[in-house]
Amino acid sequence: MKFCKAIPGILAIFLISFLMPGVNASAAGRLQSTDGNPVIVIDPGHGGENLGTQEGGIWDEKYMNMVTAQALYDELSLYDNVEVYLTRTDDRDVSFQERAAFAQSVNADFLFSIHYNASENHDLFGSEVWVPLSAPFNNYGYQIGCELLTDMQDRGLLVRGIKTRRGDRGEYYAIIRETVALDIPAAIIEHCHVDEDRDRGYCDSEEDLIQFGKNDATAIAKYFGLKSSVLNVDYSDYQLVDISDSAPIASTLRDETPPDVCRIEFSEADYDTGYLSFTVSAADYDSPLLYYTYSIDGGQTYSERKAWPGSDVLTGKYEDTFTLSLAVPSGTKPSVIVRAYNMFDPYTESNRYDSPEIFYYNETSESEEPEESGDNTPAGDENKSGDSDTGKDAANSASDASESVAVSGSAVAAEKQISFVTFLEICLVIVILLFIILLVSQGIAYHNRKKRRLQSRKDAGESRNQHR
Ligand SMILES: [Zn+2]
């Protein structure tokens, strides 16, 4: 069952149904009308001197975009009665105006700009689709965005949303601005974040980049109701999320206000093993919660971002309450704060919990890594939520849980890497010190030899004088 169309109503799951179209939807058709022979323009972002992000470390983004765009082109071309074009087929920069003008020249029904993402602080992860601000293109973008992102969600990526962004000149993103100005619907597909551990595994091989392109093609084929005799599929009766095209979809519009509530309540502490548990409760009445972070040092430092348990921004669902268990390093007196982030990034900080005691325990016991544990969705809690929805929700919760386990794993790896770097630094300092000592001792030895030679010459002279 598709999330966009999933039936709501699970206790303990917060629901913003009035903002989330499609939640109550039955089968529905495409808002955008075409003559049944759609013309689709695929735009591989960046190119030439314009490299895109280089934070992935393997390839420049322009190359990744091209591999995905080419795979999308190849796959979509296997459908009947569809015309597919690329805005560039080689490694050169093309201006936004040229890309849009090309779409117009072929009479495009839609332009899809293909991208990979990176964030300034390398802390964001997940997939998102950017769509136009105004109806009806906003609504077209929402319908196709649901198809694209549901697929990425099924593959385990966190969905960051179908969103709009306003800039000084209307649309913030130039490719959307220029294309929409020519009366052609457009969307930007940001597949995942190349600079974040939890996303990197989805985009670190050519096969991954090709897979994104193939999946995008299937989503686009569903959107346009295409069929393929080669692939033996027929999406002509495929039903899209049911929305109206009279006004932009509320959930795509930027929520400037932070979440309304974020509260933590102490539940238990195990001073023998160093575990500390809280009940975290949070809500945002405008947009779903997407991430959380926590601090155990009173807000001086925060953990990496974690996916908010049960967060599904396509339906607006998230757990409004969950249990957060933290592994506290021995010798610390934790002061805990949790931050709740909504899908547009504003966050709200919880109250602070100050531990009355210092955690002292035997660290050589079974807890391998006392620094952190991401046990944020204990099995008991999942059951408590009485989640009676399709198997998909259960799978989602499970993937959240395992994701947080993976997160601790990566934190451990990062820590090990840091300690290895520190080890290397210490080695370097020792080598430099040894070198300096060697130089100094050489200098002293030379100085001493010179002094002895002078002394012996002087002695010889003196003895000669004495002999005289
Ligand atoms: Zn890009």
Side-chain angles (χ1 to χ4, degrees):
M1 187 176 186
K2 303 199 40 49
F3 253 23
C4 291
K5 288 178 265 179
I7 295 162
I10 294 102
L11 291 172
I13 289 182
F14 200 82
L15 180 64
I16 318 166
S17 53
F18 64 95
L19 278 176
M20 295 296 160
V23 170
N24 296 308
S26 55
R30 174 166 31 91
L31 296 174
Q32 184 184 1
S33 57
T34 62
D35 60 1
N37 189 10
V39 178
I40 295 150
V41 169
I42 301 158
D43 175 44
H46 313 285
E49 301 276 286
N50 182 350
L51 307 177
T53 181
Q54 295 175 281
E55 299 289 351
I58 309 176
W59 306 289
D60 296 332
E61 187 203 335
K62 64 173 185 177
Y63 175 76
M64 301 174 75
N65 296 341
M66 184 53 96
V67 174
T68 299
Q70 188 67 53
L72 167 51
Y73 175 90
D74 292 344
E75 183 79 6
L76 207 51
S77 300
L78 299 177
Y79 287 84
D80 310 334
N81 303 319
V82 61
E83 274 179 59
V84 197
Y85 297 94
L86 287 159
T87 54
R88 66 178 178 95
T89 51
D90 51 7
D91 182 18
R92 66 195 168 88
D93 196 8
V94 182
S95 73
F96 298 113
Q97 291 88 340
E98 284 174 293
R99 292 172 201 249
F102 173 77
Q104 190 185 41
S105 74
V106 297
N107 229 342
D109 287 300
F110 223 116
L111 177 141
F112 296 100
S113 198
I114 304 301
H115 289 260
Y116 286 86
N117 220 340
S119 66
E120 204 178 324
N121 299 320
H122 313 300
D123 57 346
L124 303 182
F125 57 99
S127 314
E128 63 201 3
V129 170
W130 294 96
V131 300
L133 286 158
S134 311
F137 289 0
N138 171 278
N139 315 60
Y140 301 168
Y142 189 85
Q143 277 194 320
I144 178 65
C146 259
E147 297 309 320
L148 291 161
L149 292 174
T150 299
D151 169 70
M152 298 190 206
Q153 190 173 50
D154 289 345
R155 293 173 60 202
L157 284 152
L158 180 73
V159 170
R160 285 172 45 79
I162 303 164
K163 297 181 280 191
T164 59
R165 188 162 173 189
R166 191 179 292 279
D168 297 339
R169 290 183 279 168
E171 295 286 354
Y172 175 85
Y173 292 108
I175 189 65
I176 293 182
R177 187 171 63 241
E178 297 296 338
T179 311
V180 165
L182 300 178
D183 210 26
I184 300 165
I188 297 172
I189 310 172
E190 292 281 3
H191 291 87
C192 64
H193 286 75
V194 300
D195 61 339
E196 219 283 345
D197 283 345
R198 282 158 287 187
D199 278 10
R200 201 172 281 126
Y202 290 94
C203 61
D204 59 359
S205 75
E206 301 245 349
E207 293 75 53
D208 290 332
L209 307 181
I210 290 168
Q211 195 59 50
F212 271 122
K214 286 187 173 178
N215 292 3
D216 290 351
T218 308
I220 293 168
K222 287 174 177 171
Y223 175 78
F224 283 106
L226 302 177
K227 54 181 167 185
S228 166
S229 36
V230 181
L231 298 170
N232 197 24
V233 289
D234 184 354
Y235 296 120
S236 48
D237 289 330
Y238 187 84
Q239 299 301 309
L240 301 168
V241 54
D242 187 14
I243 51 170
S244 107
D245 63 353
S246 54
I249 304 298
S251 67
T252 66
L253 305 178
R254 197 166 199 88
D255 175 13
E256 304 286 356
T257 57
D260 299 271
V261 187
C262 182
R263 209 152 35 75
I264 58 171
E265 205 177 302
F266 169 78
S267 47
E268 55 180 340
D270 186 337
Y271 291 93
D272 297 329
T273 58
Y275 278 90
L276 184 58
S277 293
F278 296 93
T279 302
V280 180
S281 311
D284 188 319
Y285 303 127
D286 307 311
S287 59
L289 298 181
L290 184 60
Y291 300 113
Y292 72 91
T293 59
Y294 61 82
S295 172
I296 59 166
D297 56 12
Q300 289 178 53
T301 58
Y302 279 85
S303 70
E304 67 180 347
R305 289 194 197 212
K306 320 270 180 186
W308 190 275
S311 176
D312 178 359
V313 306
L314 293 179
T315 54
K317 287 183 191 173
Y318 57 88
E319 302 276 347
D320 60 352
T321 300
F322 69 95
T323 303
L324 176 64
S325 297
L326 303 175
V328 178
S330 185
T332 21
K333 192 177 174 194
S335 175
V336 179
I337 302 173
V338 171
R339 282 177 178 173
Y341 292 77
N342 71 25
M343 68 179 264
F344 287 95
D345 266 348
Y347 65 83
T348 294
E349 246 168 49
S350 73
N351 52 307
R352 193 169 88 182
Y353 169 81
D354 290 308
S355 170
E357 281 181 53
I358 299 177
F359 279 75
Y360 279 125
Y361 56 94
N362 181 11
E363 284 194 65
T364 56
S365 68
E366 289 197 5
S367 64
E368 298 173 347
E369 192 48 60
E371 197 56 45
E372 179 189 340
S373 110
D375 182 20
N376 55 27
T377 46
D381 245 34
E382 269 167 39
N383 296 339
K384 246 184 281 166
S385 73
D387 192 339
S388 61
D389 207 4
T390 59
K392 183 131 177 231
D393 262 347
N396 203 45
S397 306
S399 78
D400 280 340
S402 63
E403 188 168 341
S404 67
V405 170
V407 168
S408 340
S410 68
V412 172
E415 213 163 273
K416 278 181 184 154
Q417 205 176 341
I418 287 166
S419 56
F420 181 66
V421 169
T422 315
F423 170 74
L424 282 183
E425 280 169 2
I426 291 168
C427 287
L428 188 69
V429 168
I430 289 172
V431 168
I432 291 170
L433 277 178
L434 282 175
F435 187 68
I436 290 170
I437 289 169
L438 190 77
L439 276 180
V440 168
S441 63
Q442 289 279 344
I444 290 170
Y446 174 75
H447 186 71
N448 285 345
R449 275 202 303 278
K450 201 171 162 188
K451 208 163 141 192
R452 269 201 301 277
R453 269 203 303 277
L454 280 174
Q455 189 62 42
S456 58
R457 233 178 275 160
K458 205 168 149 197
D459 290 349
E462 270 169 19
S463 68
R464 268 201 302 279
N465 287 343
Q466 275 170 12
H467 287 295
R468 233 175 239 175

